[in-house]
Amino acid sequence: MPQHENHDHPVVEPVETHHHHAPVSTSSTTGHDHDHHAHHHDPVSTSSTTGHDHHAHHHAPVSTSSTTGHDHHDMHAGHGGGDHSHHDPAIFRRKFWLSLILTIPTLVFSTGLQDILGLAGPRFPGSQFIPAVFGIAIFLYGGLVFLRGAVTELKSRQPGMMTLISLAVVVALGYSVAVTLGLPGMDFWWELSTLITIMLLGHWIEMSAVMGAQDALGELAKLLPDEADLVHGDHVMTVPVSQLKLGDVVLVRPGAAIPADGEVVDGESHVNEALLTGESSSVSKTTGDAVIGGSVNGSGALRVRVTKLGDDTAVAGIMKLVADAQASKSGAQLLADRAAALLFYVALGSAVITLVAWLIIMPGDPAFVLERVVSVLVIACPHALGLAIPLVSQISTALGARKGILVKNRLALEVARTIDVVLFDKTGTLTTGTQGVAAVVPADGTTEQELLGLAAAVEAQSEHPIARAIVAEAQSRGLTLAKATGFAAQSGRGVTATIGKRELTVSSGRDLDLPPALAAQGAELGAGGATVVYLSSGTTVLGMLALADTVRAESREAVDALKQRGVRVAMLTGDSKAVGAWVAAQLGIDEVHAEVLPGEKSAVVKALQADGSKVAMVGDGVNDAPALAQADVGIAIGAGTDVAIESAGIVLASSDPRGVARTLALSRATWRKELQNLFWATGYNAIGIPLAAGALFGVGILMPPALAAVFMSVSTIVVAANAQLLRRLKL
């Protein structure tokens, strides 16, 4: 069998080291020196790849502390750029409800509002000062948060939404105080109160949406239990997880969450890793297999040796990836940031033009002029624009994390929608990297089930990888193995055992007189990279079994899903052309780059990019790293190496290649939502600013400051609601 490329086989290390694959013995099983076993390659870990936690363990510590304790004074730092990481919706909720209560008497006793509505409200000596008292109270309680944000923006020389809001409310406050003290005109107390209250409502809704998008991190943090059952000699004691040390053995009872990353040292069970990997089915775990902290044990009891704790665990690593992605900025976000900064100057310029124009047109009505200026400043607040991209991005990265798609860089997710070609590494990505039965070909007079059952019975006493593969295949088909006696290995002839009255042999077949049809088929399979063994009874050949690197059950579906999306699929391998063609034929891949040396993989990516194609590289090995970095989007399989993961922009938490199509679907859906939100966030300004300035005053259409605040807040709510619709995406 041609030699597999070395990068595709994970390095087996002791559990105490950085990786925690179960060690695999390299010594031959006693007596197993027959020829077909000599075809085997370097040993690889046979533990389930779905349980590996390579996707996470190399990352830095992650803070899981709540933002609820943050001082609200700093809430809007960097708001214009979409940073909502320190906002607490509870603060805005409290401020909104109290401001709303205080706004009611302001509206009831506002003579200006009464004149507009043609109503006569309650009046008594001193009642004219009630709107001023409550208006100032609302400003001090609910409005100062915007001023603090404005100070932060101006200190960073990045004026934005907070500066615009502050400018509007300060102008309204100053003018209203002057009118209340005797300046001719109409005060803005009710407009000021409603503006602040409505802005607080918009912020409350916005922050609730943003915090909801970040809840994925909190949910991940909750996966780890608070206590663990520590095995101490013959006793089991319950201790806090924080007291566990590397090398400790813990008992994981049926239905309990695994307290830390580790290796199974005793027991068998199925473990649910869905919340970590996105895979719906439970994963079988037995001695030597790696388990991820936070996954839920099934019906069997497990004893697990702790190999990783705290910030080194898979959960912490995933949280770090999600947090980094949410902190990073895509091209769309950078565009939105520039637009928000530009809008400040547009708003300021529009306010100046409005002021000058109306002073010329209506010099005798300064109250009207000021009202137009305030309305322009309010409607121009880029609140929706500041929310448009960050909220979509945070929701998409959180959604991806729940489906096993870990976005390291938002730009990678954004580019994924443009991918024309997906280039898959073969071994470990499209295949499992372990031996499995690829074909069972019986001779005349023997059935397929009979052939497999007898071969498995002969090999049942062997621990050799080929023997295990044959036995596993028989068990997967539900076959009951006959009892074999007299198991022995004969140098140059293979292994023999007696079943019933027949002595059966599993060998390479070199000393057998093979039927022509069987020999031809065996030669064909061997040329395709398979290891071929024959079952015989004396000189009678009962059939042939071919073993090869097992193609993942999900790989064909992954390829088909990409093709349906119009994406070209290619395969990259260091194996021979025959091996590459054999695997490609099973998966429906037409383009194969075989016999590629590790250092040449990036060159293949460059060649695919030469015609302008956008290329995504999917791999798991150390030698895939240059190709992952060269590709427009690098996607690392979750069971891959640290180097591969570091070189990729997106990491699949599981080894399921169907995650690639899901990634492209997530990218396209995210981009659509970003465009929709950008359109709405900028469109309402294009319409609202002229209306607020009084462009349609001649036809009786005028927008007061309070209505401008409502219009602006509605746009924010629409943007937030539209972003939430992304949660309905089915991946």
Side-chain angles (χ1 to χ4, degrees), residues 313-339:
T313 62
V315 169
I318 293 175
M319 293 176 65
K320 174 69 168 128
L321 285 176
V322 175
D324 287 349
Q326 292 184 343
S328 66
K329 293 187 177 183
S330 66
Q333 178 60 63
L334 295 174
L335 177 62
D337 290 349
R338 289 194 293 269

Side-chain angles (χ1 to χ4, degrees), residues 109 122-134 180:
F109 291 97
R123 296 186 183 181
F124 49 84
S127 62
Q128 69 272 22
F129 296 109
I130 291 178
V133 172
F134 282 93
T180 301

Side-chain angles (χ1 to χ4, degrees), residues 298-540:
S299 58
L302 297 174
R303 294 191 179 222
V304 176
R305 179 183 295 114
V306 177
T307 59
K308 291 184 181 161
L309 290 167
D311 298 323
D312 293 328
T313 62
V315 169
I318 293 175
M319 293 176 65
K320 174 69 168 128
L321 285 176
V322 175
D324 287 349
Q326 292 184 343
S328 66
K329 293 187 177 183
S330 66
Q333 178 60 63
L334 295 174
L335 177 62
D337 290 349
R338 289 194 293 269
L342 179 63
L343 188 58
F344 167 77
Y345 298 103
V346 170
L348 198 60
S350 300
V352 172
I353 294 172
T354 300
L355 175 64
V356 173
W358 283 111
L359 283 176
I360 296 173
I361 298 172
M362 301 178 65
D365 195 349
F368 177 85
V369 175
L370 186 57
E371 184 178 271
R372 293 302 93 221
V373 173
V374 173
S375 297
V376 168
L377 293 174
V378 171
I379 201 69
C381 292
H383 203 226
L385 186 60
L387 177 65
I389 304 303
L391 184 55
V392 173
S393 296
Q394 291 189 28
I395 291 175
S396 68
T397 53
L399 178 62
R402 288 195 292 271
K403 298 297 183 179
I405 303 169
L406 308 178
V407 181
K408 291 180 60 183
N409 189 310
R410 285 188 190 177
L411 187 59
L413 182 63
E414 184 174 295
V415 173
R417 67 184 175 84
T418 67
I419 292 300
D420 304 302
V421 183
V422 173
L423 181 63
F424 282 101
D425 171 56
K426 180 181 74 68
T427 310
T429 302
L430 292 174
T431 67
T432 64
T434 59
Q435 290 281 317
V437 176
V440 180
V441 185
D444 292 340
T446 306
T447 66
E448 183 175 317
Q449 297 290 82
E450 183 184 5
L451 172 62
L452 179 60
L454 290 173
V458 172
E459 296 277 24
Q461 299 181 52
S462 171
E463 291 297 324
H464 196 280
I466 280 185
R468 290 201 302 266
I470 294 174
V471 172
E473 179 67 17
Q475 292 174 341
S476 69
R477 299 191 186 192
L479 301 182
T480 301
L481 304 186
K483 184 178 180 181
T485 60
F487 176 84
Q490 300 181 5
S491 178
R493 292 197 59 209
V495 295
T496 64
T498 299
I499 299 177
K501 297 182 179 181
R502 291 192 297 178
E503 185 180 73
L504 301 175
T505 301
V506 179
S507 70
S508 63
R510 65 172 57 181
D511 297 327
L512 296 174
D513 185 13
L514 300 174
L518 206 61
Q521 194 167 356
E524 182 181 352
L525 289 168
T531 298
V532 179
V533 297
Y534 297 87
L535 177 67
S536 60
S537 176
T539 59
T540 303

Side-chain angles (χ1 to χ4, degrees), residues 8 16 39 80 145 155 178 229 232 246-248 270 333 359 386 420 443 463 468 501 525 626 651 690:
D8 289 315
E16 292 79 13
H39 288 273
V145 66
K155 284 183 177 179
D229 290 333
H232 188 71
L246 295 179
D248 283 347
H270 283 77
Q333 178 60 63
L359 283 176
D420 304 302
E463 291 297 324
R468 290 201 302 266
K501 297 182 179 181
L525 289 168
V651 178

Side-chain angles (χ1 to χ4, degrees), residues 31-389:
H32 265 70
D33 60 353
H34 51 287
D35 294 345
H36 76 273
H37 287 177
H39 288 273
H40 275 279
H41 311 298
D42 295 337
V44 298
S45 173
T46 58
S47 61
S48 172
T49 55
T50 54
H52 295 183
D53 64 349
H54 295 116
H55 56 283
H57 57 235
H58 58 280
H59 296 292
V62 179
S63 175
T64 59
S65 60
S66 172
T67 59
T68 56
H70 288 215
D71 194 315
H72 68 272
H73 293 193
D74 300 324
M75 293 172 67
H76 281 275
H79 195 299
D83 180 9
H84 303 85
S85 59
H86 301 292
H87 298 200
D88 184 2
I91 293 176
F92 283 104
R93 183 183 68 247
R94 294 192 298 268
K95 288 184 176 293
F96 164 73
W97 284 115
L98 184 54
S99 296
L100 179 62
I101 294 172
L102 296 176
T103 298
I104 295 174
T106 307
L107 298 176
V108 170
F109 291 97
S110 174
T111 56
L113 180 61
Q114 293 170 9
D115 292 340
I116 293 174
L117 299 177
L119 302 174
R123 296 186 183 181
F124 49 84
S127 62
Q128 69 272 22
F129 296 109
I130 291 178
V133 172
F134 282 93
I136 292 173
I138 292 171
F139 175 83
L140 294 176
Y141 178 70
L144 289 184
V145 66
F146 302 114
L147 269 67
R148 295 186 181 102
V151 171
T152 302
E153 289 182 350
L154 293 174
K155 284 183 177 179
S156 62
R157 298 182 179 181
Q158 294 180 336
M161 180 186 60
M162 293 295 101
T163 305
L164 285 174
I165 296 175
S166 299
L167 186 60
V169 297
V170 168
V171 170
L173 176 70
Y175 184 77
S176 297
V177 169
V179 171
T180 301
L181 295 177
L183 183 73
M186 182 178 70
D187 62 66
F188 287 164
W189 291 120
W190 74 273
E191 290 99 331
L192 172 67
S193 301
T194 52
L195 170 61
I196 293 175
T197 301
I198 292 171
M199 290 299 303
L200 290 171
L201 174 62
H203 272 63
W204 174 22
I205 295 173
E206 173 191 346
M207 293 305 105
S208 296
V210 171
M211 294 303 293
Q214 296 178 332
D215 280 346
L217 299 182
E219 291 302 315
L220 285 170
K222 295 177 184 177
L223 292 178
L224 293 174
D226 296 325
E227 296 180 332
D229 290 333
L230 177 64
V231 178
H232 188 71
D234 297 331
H235 305 284
V236 176
M237 62 181 70
T238 301
V239 299
V241 170
S242 59
Q243 294 184 9
L244 292 178
K245 299 180 178 62
L246 295 179
D248 283 347
V249 175
V250 295
L251 174 64
V252 184
R253 305 180 190 275
I258 297 172
D261 293 4
E263 177 197 20
V264 178
V265 294
D266 185 43
E268 294 184 4
S269 186
H270 283 77
V271 176
N272 186 346
E273 300 175 339
L275 290 176
L276 293 162
T277 67
E279 296 187 0
S280 58
S281 59
S282 297
V283 182
S284 176
K285 299 293 182 182
T286 187
T287 302
D289 287 343
V291 292
I292 304 174
S295 54
V296 180
N297 188 25
S299 58
L302 297 174
R303 294 191 179 222
V304 176
R305 179 183 295 114
V306 177
T307 59
K308 291 184 181 161
L309 290 167
D311 298 323
D312 293 328
T313 62
V315 169
I318 293 175
M319 293 176 65
K320 174 69 168 128
L321 285 176
V322 175
D324 287 349
Q326 292 184 343
S328 66
K329 293 187 177 183
S330 66
Q333 178 60 63
L334 295 174
L335 177 62
D337 290 349
R338 289 194 293 269
L342 179 63
L343 188 58
F344 167 77
Y345 298 103
V346 170
L348 198 60
S350 300
V352 172
I353 294 172
T354 300
L355 175 64
V356 173
W358 283 111
L359 283 176
I360 296 173
I361 298 172
M362 301 178 65
D365 195 349
F368 177 85
V369 175
L370 186 57
E371 184 178 271
R372 293 302 93 221
V373 173
V374 173
S375 297
V376 168
L377 293 174
V378 171
I379 201 69
C381 292
H383 203 226
L385 186 60
L387 177 65
I389 304 303

